Amino acid sequence: MKLRILLFVLCLLSFIPSYSQSERSLVRRGNRDIEKERYHDAEIKYRKALEENRLMEEAGFNLGNSLYLQDKYQEADSQYFDIASRAKNDSLKEASYYNLGNSFYKSEQYDGAVQAYKQALRINPDDEDARYNLAMAQKKLKDSEGQNDGQNQDQQNQNQQNQNQQNQNQQNQNQQNQQQNQDEQQGQEQQQQQGQQDEQQDGEQQEAQQMNISKDDAERMLEALKNNEQKTLQKVQESKTKGQKVKIDKDW
């Protein structure tokens, strides 16, 4: 990727000549720092020049360059965009859009880079560097969109798998709850049946106890029956002797 960062650094003072000697001196000193790769020192001098005259376009543009060369792309974006939006000189405006595209490209904001290079080409259609960089940015943008589509599809697949797993877990939980309810109901029925059986056994035992007659009692009852039968036979015999009917008393 071709960059054009220093192209306007040394000749910007010719764009707008009506600045004070102090402002011009600060910009020239900042430019020398740029040549010697003292980018932070250059940034300080450009900022001082802007403190004296915040509308000084050369200082704003060069400040963007010093920030770019320190990889401070977000701050450089603001400077380039500010100059591009208000510069009266087309060369400076086109250079600002061009370098803004470079800054966007470096920070992998390819959509912004594409738009910035297009703006530069609208001002100067013959800028082959801007055309080349635009093609590079468009390719990167297309690749990143394809990658994002793949990531989105992967995310959708993962979300679907998670949803399926949640549904399966819920189904398993429902089955466990249903089985637990069935076990509890079966346990209650078994307890109820056992209670009924216990009650029945208790009733049978009580009935058996009520019907249980000791051997002595049985012998006494048998003896009494025999005595009653003997008395009855005796009365019958006597009635036959006397020729009278005898009323038989029933003792049972």
Side-chain angles (χ1 to χ4, degrees), residues 176-194:
Q176 292 178 359
N177 293 339
Q178 184 178 2
Q179 184 63 42
Q180 183 178 358
N181 292 335
Q182 291 178 352
D183 293 343
E184 291 177 355
Q185 183 177 0
Q186 185 177 2
Q188 292 175 356
E189 291 176 353
Q190 291 177 351
Q191 291 179 356
Q192 185 177 2
Q193 292 176 358
Q194 185 63 41

Side-chain angles (χ1 to χ4, degrees), residues 58-159:
E58 301 99 308
F61 178 84
N62 288 355
L63 174 60
N65 288 343
S66 66
L67 293 168
Y68 178 96
L69 292 170
Q70 295 178 79
D71 299 333
K72 298 179 180 179
Y73 300 121
Q74 187 173 0
E75 295 180 66
D77 294 344
S78 298
Q79 286 301 125
Y80 289 138
F81 184 79
D82 177 62
I83 300 303
S85 62
R86 62 185 176 86
K88 298 179 177 62
N89 182 285
D90 285 345
S91 295
L92 181 58
K93 183 185 291 289
E94 192 266 339
S96 297
Y97 277 123
Y98 178 91
N99 282 359
L100 177 61
N102 291 345
S103 185
F104 276 138
Y105 190 99
K106 283 290 189 177
S107 58
E108 298 182 354
Q109 300 181 62
Y110 302 119
D111 186 33
V114 167
Q115 298 304 319
Y117 290 135
K118 285 183 177 180
Q119 289 290 348
L121 286 169
R122 288 189 181 98
I123 298 171
N124 181 12
D126 296 329
D127 189 341
E128 293 301 324
D129 289 341
R131 194 177 307 280
Y132 175 85
N133 289 356
L134 172 61
M136 293 291 293
Q138 288 173 328
K139 183 178 184 303
K140 287 287 189 179
L141 179 61
K142 183 178 180 180
D143 293 342
S144 64
E145 288 176 347
Q147 183 178 3
N148 290 336
D149 290 341
Q151 292 176 349
N152 292 335
Q153 184 62 44
D154 292 341
Q155 184 63 41
Q156 290 177 0
N157 294 337
Q158 184 63 43
N159 292 339

Side-chain angles (χ1 to χ4, degrees), residues 16 19-20 23 26 46-61 63 79 82-83 86:
I16 303 178
Y19 292 125
S20 69
E23 295 163 4
L26 286 169
Y46 295 138
R47 289 189 183 278
K48 287 182 178 180
L50 288 171
E51 288 176 0
E52 295 187 12
N53 185 353
R54 65 183 181 84
L55 298 179
M56 190 176 187
E57 295 173 356
E58 301 99 308
F61 178 84
L63 174 60
Q79 286 301 125
D82 177 62
I83 300 303
R86 62 185 176 86

Side-chain angles (χ1 to χ4, degrees), residues 218-230 251:
E219 290 178 353
R220 284 195 294 272
M221 291 174 63
L222 182 60
E223 185 64 28
L225 290 174
K226 288 181 179 181
N227 290 336
N228 289 335
E229 183 180 358
Q230 186 64 35
D251 295 331

